[in-house]
Amino acid sequence: MNNLIELKKLNKSYGQGDTAYHVLHDIDLEVKMGELTAIIGESGSGKSTLINIIGFLDTDFSGEYLFKEQPIQDLKAKDLAFLRNQDVGFVFQNFKLIRGLSVYANVALPLLYAGKKRNEIESAILAALKKVGLAGYEKALPQNMSGGQQQRVAIARAIVSHPSFLIADEPTGALDSQNSRDIMELFKKLNAEGTTILMVTHDPRIAKACKRTIEILDGRIIADSKGRVAK
Amino acid sequence: MRVEELLITAFESLKINRKRSFLTIIGIAIGIASVVTILGIGDGVKKTMYDKFAHDSTEKYQTAKIYYTTGEESAMDGFTQEDVAKVETMFPQVKKAYLAHETDDLNLSGTVGEKQGTYAVSLINKNSAQAKLVCGKKFDRTVLLGGDHQALISEALAKRQYHSAYKALGTAVNIDHRNYQVVGVYRQHDFYDESGSIDKYGADIILAKAVYYGGKEMTSGNSLKVKMDVSAKQAAKLATKIKKYLNKHGSAKNNGSYEYDNMEQMLKQFNATIDIFTGVIAFVAGISLFIAGIGVMNMMYISVSERTQEIGIRLAVGASQQNIMWQFLIEAMMLTVFGGMIGFIFGGLLSHLITPLLSQAMVTGITIKAHISLKAFMISFGVSAGVGLIFGILPARQAAKKNLVDILK
């Protein structure tokens, strides 16, 4: 398999007719296994829309999306849920952890939705927490933890089922500089171990830390540090 | 997600907002408690009446009473010894048939102390070990065989007329134009005993049967008792057959009719009436369940609205729309079933508290006990689950249809 992700002439609009708002224009993109890619652009450039499509959250687009060389446009909602569960891990800007559930319970979610039993998943959860530096925090409640710790919990949840790739949408947006550096180090470490990571950011320092940078402006890829520039 | 994990997930979500969950189930608990209370009282009345008045299936022989009625004053008795012999011959299942005084429990006019009135009088032919004397003595053997005219009176009557049980001893009471000397005062029982028969010591006054009737053996009368070697279920049928036979071949068939009170039939009709009453009242109580269900639906809509982010997170990590729908539906049903079970327990307790008060108010001499049946439990469980399902489905479907991209913006 050459490309993990391949987008061909991908277009996305909101609304219809005269009020239609064209967000993404003819996006061509290939992502290989093991990449650490930053997608940068100003607010409203379309980067979040792009990763929502890449992460199977949004299937309302035209063009072609091949994941592991298979088209996903015609997949049913159930199949897309399966892909989200098995193949992609999300890390959001504001962590998006379920309040009231412990760290352990939050990290367990992807495994439970994969159909695993509670007594089968303990070792996987503890391993994920150890990887992100939160061993011993299983019973803690996220709302009582710092921003950096919460983001680590979110990363643990994203990696616990060993997905094909991670999508991080402004993962350091809600963190101070020290925590931001720590989180980036964690991503780099995960990437070094073979995890493919796509990261959306408007912070050039974060982009610099990634191996590949794709720049988006007004819904078009205007620069790609791999050498391909959109027309 | 596995079914058991879905149940645990739903339960964990309810635990997060305990106060709201508790407030939601109050309505269901009250509705179910009302229905169970009414069913408990209704079933208790039916069971009490059945236990007391139906044929006792544990008895070896069943007894039935057939009586003769003319509808007008007549000197002719309905049964003779010839009728007795006929019944014993024609019906081999009849172990023994005998003429009986129409009743040993009478309401007679008389004077006790200075009070003239009508008194409940029971006739006995032997003393009972269960009778508790307050003072004095019971009848001795000579009296029971038709000796002196002696009487026992109840403690309540003694206090009313003589202001104390002891002051009643030795006084004379006049019953049905004959004087009897009070030799003992007893603690009065309920009108009916545990088996449903009239309790002799539930009367105001006790006399020796042989003394009252003068000790003569009956050669004729208007009441025939039959002891049958059949099951409790067969007893009413056989007694009805005997009645029909007597109406065709009885010695006094032309002057009146032989009757048998089929208690089974009466109880059936009584039960049907009780069922209608309890059904109507339970239906009215059930309206509160409908209102509680609306409350559950309202709460679930609010919950779905407040937990939009959570729904988005779950969808993002791989939950299907079905998983989301089932989670919220199970949450609604867990709330209502839990509320229903609390209501069932309270309803059961309440019916046990109310029925003794009801017994007193009815003054029938019967102590009614509430009866909580398996049927009441199944109704509670089924209705409360049904309420959760019906009123939870729409909010659950709304949760499942949330747009993932809009939620996670």
Side-chain angles (χ1 to χ4, degrees):
Chain A
M1 178 175 54
N2 256 337
N3 294 316
L4 180 66
I5 293 164
E6 203 174 331
L7 307 179
K8 291 178 182 175
K9 293 278 181 279
L10 193 131
N11 283 272
K12 167 76 182 178
S13 298
Y14 290 110
Q16 283 174 0
D18 293 340
T19 56
Y21 175 55
H22 207 149
V23 182
L24 296 173
H25 302 262
D26 294 332
I27 300 288
D28 291 318
L29 178 63
E30 290 161 7
V31 177
K32 289 187 172 18
M33 296 272 290
E35 285 189 17
L36 174 57
T37 302
I39 301 173
I40 63 170
E42 295 298 322
S43 292
S45 58
K47 53 186 190 299
S48 292
T49 304
L50 179 60
I51 59 158
N52 283 345
I53 291 171
I54 292 173
F56 317 116
L57 299 180
D58 186 355
T59 53
D60 183 20
F61 60 85
S62 62
E64 206 173 6
Y65 177 174
L66 297 172
F67 176 70
K68 292 182 180 174
E69 297 175 353
Q70 300 297 320
I72 68 116
Q73 295 89 278
D74 299 323
L75 288 180
K76 294 197 174 79
K78 209 174 163 186
D79 299 320
L80 290 166
F82 181 78
L83 281 180
R84 285 197 297 272
N85 180 251
Q86 297 289 301
D87 284 299
V88 63
F90 284 94
V91 181
F92 299 97
Q93 179 178 351
N94 49 7
F95 328 128
K96 297 240 189 283
L97 299 170
I98 297 178
R99 207 180 153 77
L101 291 186
S102 66
V103 164
Y104 186 98
N106 268 285
V107 175
L109 284 177
L111 299 174
L112 294 176
Y113 283 119
K116 299 228 183 327
K117 284 187 197 172
R118 227 157 257 260
N119 55 8
E120 293 171 347
I121 61 177
E122 188 181 355
S123 55
I125 295 169
L126 295 178
L129 286 173
K130 190 177 176 188
K131 202 168 233 182
V132 301
L134 286 179
Y137 280 83
E138 298 83 39
K139 291 185 182 165
L141 291 175
Q143 57 260 33
N144 298 335
M145 299 166 87
S146 71
Q149 287 174 322
Q150 289 188 58
Q151 195 61 295
R152 286 172 189 272
V153 175
I155 294 170
R157 183 183 64 193
I159 63 172
V160 74
S161 57
H162 304 290
S164 301
F165 66 104
L166 297 186
I167 287 182
D169 189 355
E170 306 274 9
T172 60
L175 304 178
D176 58 41
S177 53
Q178 181 58 49
N179 276 312
S180 297
R181 275 195 291 274
D182 292 342
I183 293 299
M184 272 316 296
E185 286 307 311
L186 182 52
F187 278 126
K188 280 159 82 173
K189 184 179 152 198
L190 290 171
N191 179 246
E193 289 170 1
T195 306
T196 307
I197 301 174
L198 286 168
M199 195 176 303
V200 163
T201 182
H202 64 268
D203 187 341
R205 290 170 298 179
I206 302 291
K208 241 186 184 175
C210 297
K211 294 172 190 170
R212 179 185 178 188
T213 306
I214 295 169
E215 194 174 342
I216 291 187
L217 179 66
D218 295 332
R220 289 186 168 84
I221 295 177
I222 58 168
D224 184 344
S225 64
K226 254 176 113 172
R228 300 174 72 214
V229 174
K231 289 168 192 159
Chain B
M1 196 182 237
R2 302 175 78 91
V3 172
E4 60 269 28
E5 297 305 333
L6 211 49
L7 292 170
I8 295 170
T9 300
F11 182 68
E12 279 176 348
S13 298
L14 290 175
K15 264 172 58 178
I16 291 172
N17 206 328
R18 284 171 208 193
K19 210 186 276 184
R20 182 163 63 194
S21 301
F22 176 71
L23 288 171
T24 307
I25 66 176
I26 284 178
I28 302 287
I30 291 172
I32 294 287
S34 313
V35 173
V36 169
T37 303
I38 289 154
L39 289 178
I41 293 171
D43 286 346
V45 168
K46 286 193 312 188
K47 187 172 188 301
T48 303
M49 298 305 275
Y50 190 84
D51 288 347
K52 284 197 177 305
F53 296 115
H55 284 282
D56 187 349
S57 56
T58 61
E59 290 279 341
K60 192 178 176 196
Y61 298 117
Q62 302 297 324
T63 306
K65 188 167 99 170
I66 296 159
Y67 58 95
Y68 180 76
T69 175
T70 62
E72 53 189 54
E73 289 287 329
S74 170
M76 187 174 185
D77 287 332
F79 296 99
T80 61
Q81 288 296 340
E82 198 186 319
D83 294 314
V84 173
K86 275 184 197 170
V87 167
E88 283 182 345
T89 308
M90 286 304 297
F91 298 93
Q93 304 102 315
V94 172
K95 291 314 281 185
K96 186 176 164 56
Y98 54 94
L99 296 171
H101 291 289
E102 279 166 51
T103 179
D104 290 342
D105 302 293
L106 310 159
N107 285 329
L108 300 171
S109 59
T111 308
V112 176
E114 288 168 16
K115 182 97 176 15
Q116 221 176 356
T118 304
Y119 296 96
V121 177
S122 281
L123 307 174
I124 61 172
N125 46 24
K126 59 181 178 184
N127 287 313
S128 163
Q130 286 173 355
K132 296 279 180 268
L133 277 188
V134 175
C135 59
K137 60 172 185 151
K138 295 182 182 178
F139 296 142
D140 57 34
R141 204 174 137 70
T142 53
V143 171
L144 289 171
L145 290 173
D148 294 339
H149 285 202
Q150 291 182 351
L152 305 175
I153 69 171
S154 71
E155 185 187 14
L157 180 59
K159 281 184 176 172
R160 270 203 313 274
Q161 303 308 334
Y162 301 104
H163 305 295
S164 91
Y166 289 92
K167 284 185 182 169
L169 290 177
T171 61
V173 297
N174 184 281
I175 302 296
D176 199 18
H177 309 295
R178 271 184 280 178
N179 287 329
Y180 299 84
Q181 188 188 33
V182 177
V183 298
V185 177
Y186 58 91
R187 199 143 280 153
Q188 197 168 18
H189 296 172
D190 282 343
F191 288 170
Y192 296 99
D193 63 20
E194 287 297 314
S195 67
S197 306
I198 292 176
D199 191 328
K200 300 286 181 194
Y201 289 85
D204 299 318
I205 299 170
I206 307 282
L207 301 176
K209 186 171 176 176
V211 171
Y212 182 77
Y213 283 123
K216 292 178 197 160
E217 197 194 321
M218 293 182 74
T219 54
S220 65
N222 286 320
S223 194
L224 179 75
K225 273 198 173 152
V226 290
K227 211 181 225 180
M228 303 172 284
D229 187 11
V230 292
S231 65
K233 274 190 182 165
Q234 300 292 329
K237 253 187 192 166
L238 180 57
T240 306
K241 272 188 188 164
I242 295 171
K243 176 200 87 172
K244 284 181 180 170
Y245 171 80
L246 287 167
N247 277 317
K248 278 190 183 153
H249 304 286
S251 56
K253 66 179 189 292
N254 296 322
N255 298 317
S257 64
Y258 296 91
E259 303 292 343
Y260 163 66
D261 291 332
N262 187 340
M263 286 306 291
E264 251 68 22
Q265 192 109 349
M266 285 187 198
L267 282 171
K268 250 189 190 165
Q269 285 165 354
F270 176 77
N271 285 351
T273 307
I274 293 288
D275 281 342
I276 291 171
F277 273 117
T278 54
V280 168
I281 298 170
F283 175 75
V284 172
I287 291 173
S288 68
L289 274 171
F290 179 79
I291 295 166
I294 302 276
V296 167
M297 188 195 275
N298 189 39
M299 194 286 291
M300 290 307 297
Y301 271 125
I302 293 170
S303 181
V304 166
S305 176
E306 284 181 357
R307 292 161 65 189
T308 302
Q309 280 291 305
E310 179 190 330
I311 294 167
I313 293 163
R314 291 183 184 274
L315 289 169
V317 300
S320 65
Q321 286 176 320
Q322 247 194 346
N323 287 148
I324 300 298
M325 190 196 77
W326 275 111
Q327 181 187 332
F328 280 87
L329 190 55
I330 288 170
E331 283 181 26
M333 289 176 76
M334 271 188 177
L335 283 174
T336 54
V337 168
F338 187 61
M341 293 302 99
I342 291 177
F344 176 76
I345 293 167
F346 272 110
L349 290 171
L350 202 59
S351 61
H352 277 93
L353 283 172
I354 290 176
T355 38
L357 301 173
L358 207 64
S359 301
Q360 283 176 26
M362 284 165 68
V363 197
T364 56
I366 302 172
T367 304
I368 301 169
K369 282 185 191 163
H371 177 65
I372 303 297
S373 60
L374 180 64
K375 181 183 94 179
F377 176 78
M378 298 303 293
I379 290 174
S380 304
F381 184 83
V383 165
S384 48
V387 166
L389 180 64
I390 292 166
F391 291 97
I393 188 71
L394 288 178
R397 286 177 72 173
Q398 187 187 65
K401 285 183 178 158
K402 292 268 180 193
N403 185 296
L404 191 43
V405 174
D406 290 340
I407 297 170
L408 294 176
K409 272 181 188 164

